[in-house]
Structure formats: C-alpha cells, structure tokens
Amino acid sequence: MAIQEKLYTVDDLWAMECDPALEHRKFYLIDGVLYEDDVPGRIHALIAIKIGRYLDEYAEAHGQGEVTSECGYHPPETRHTALLPDVAYQRFDQLPDPPPEGYVPKMPDLAVEIQSPSDTMSKLKHKAQAYLENGTAIVWLVLPERRGVEVCRLSDGGALQSEFLGPGDTLRSDDILPGFELDVNLLFPPGK
C-alpha cells in the first residue's frame, strides 16, 4: 500500500524507523513514494532464517561478502529509493569503506524478498524491478504457496526477466555466488 503526502527520502525513512510510535511498522521507498509492508509472519520468518543460514555459511566459507536481514539499502546516487530486503548478500569489495551503521548507500548484490500472504506478484515484481534498476544483480522472490523461487534479473534492454524454480530445482548465482548451490526444497518447512 502506497502512502503519499510528499516526496520521501532515505532520511525521512530513517526518522520513521527510529520513531518508537512506529516500531512495529515496516516501510520502504521507491522513487520517493512511501510504501508500508506487513510485519512478517511465522512461515516468512522461518524461510528468511533458512536462506540467511545457507548464504551465511557460504559467505563465511568464501570470505568474500556478508549476509544481512532487514537491513536498508539505497543507491548512492539517489536518496529517494530505499529497500529493506528480507535477506541480502553484499560482496565486501562492493561495500562502502567503512561500512555505515545505518542504511547502506549501495544496493546489495543479491536481494531476497519472501512473499507474505497479502503480497501480490505485481507488488513483488515492482520491488524486484526497483532493486535491479538501482544496482542489484539478482533478486530471489520466494513464493511459499508455490514452494518455489522466482529468479529475477534485468535483460540487456532493461526489462525484468524471471525464471521460476520449483521443487527439485537448484538455486545458483555464479556471477555473485560462485559455486553456491541450494536445493529449493530446503527453503520450505515440511507441509508448507
């Protein structure tokens, strides 16, 4: 749901995050438009932990990047887009030096968004497009009801391209995570 009264910036978003009256609300920005996300539920949280664990094991073994959860990222050249991926991977050589305490002024190399019951595919693809247009190389849209992942990239012409990986498929991203492989089945709790 978009909430629009003015053109919002990263600074406005940070002030809202620091406001105790808004502590149970989750916001993000795309082109100065403020959006509110639902607070994640149990299945969402379980999947985020699993993905984070597998990515973190990879990051520690290879020593080339870090994994975050619910951390804000914005493109360095604009302060009107800020996204908070459920899970993200950022290569160390792409991080600002020193890394900031607040939002990272660089989009992550990999962003993971997990579909909540109220999320439409249109909303998720809008977010994916925003990540990709602002520097993210790949976006994984995790779809619990379909027990799969929509892998999104931009085409050479700037159009959103996606491929669905379901049960029995393997997630890979050799350009960002060389050698990383993850069976899609491992992301989902049994029976869900």
Side-chain angles (χ1 to χ4, degrees), residues 20-179:
L22 300 173
E23 72 179 320
H24 297 294
R25 296 175 71 186
K26 186 177 167 186
F27 301 95
Y28 64 95
L29 295 174
I30 297 177
D31 297 327
V33 177
L34 180 66
Y35 296 88
E36 183 171 3
D37 260 343
D38 291 334
V39 175
R42 179 181 154 271
I43 298 299
H44 187 285
L46 288 171
I47 293 169
I49 289 291
K50 285 177 178 272
I51 292 171
R53 183 185 71 199
Y54 290 120
L55 286 172
D56 196 50
E57 287 173 359
Y58 172 89
E60 286 188 2
H62 291 82
Q64 297 173 344
E66 67 182 21
V67 178
T68 59
S69 176
E70 302 291 332
C71 177
Y73 292 86
H74 69 87
E77 62 279 352
T78 180
R79 300 191 61 75
H80 294 289
T81 295
L83 295 159
L84 290 83
D86 294 313
V87 180
Y89 176 80
Q90 184 75 57
R91 292 174 292 185
F92 287 135
D93 66 349
Q94 298 297 310
L95 280 171
D97 188 23
E101 210 31 59
Y103 295 146
V104 179
K106 176 86 173 146
M107 296 304 277
D109 295 305
L110 165 69
V112 179
E113 289 286 343
I114 302 164
Q115 186 177 34
S116 295
S118 65
D119 287 339
T120 64
M121 277 308 293
S122 174
K123 175 183 175 181
L124 289 173
K125 288 195 173 185
H126 183 235
K127 273 187 175 179
Q129 186 88 29
Y131 280 113
L132 296 166
E133 287 177 348
N134 286 288
T136 298
I138 189 166
V139 177
W140 293 345
L141 302 177
V142 181
L143 311 173
E145 290 301 318
R146 292 181 61 195
R147 297 184 68 80
V149 178
E150 193 88 19
V151 178
C152 302
R153 296 179 182 272
L154 285 184
S155 70
D156 290 338
L160 183 68
Q161 293 181 321
S162 63
E163 173 188 13
F164 180 77
L165 300 177
D169 290 326
T170 302
L171 275 169
R172 293 180 182 87
S173 179
D174 288 334
D175 51 338
I176 302 300
L177 305 162

Side-chain angles (χ1 to χ4, degrees), residues 40 83 180 187:
L83 295 159
F180 178 84
L187 300 180

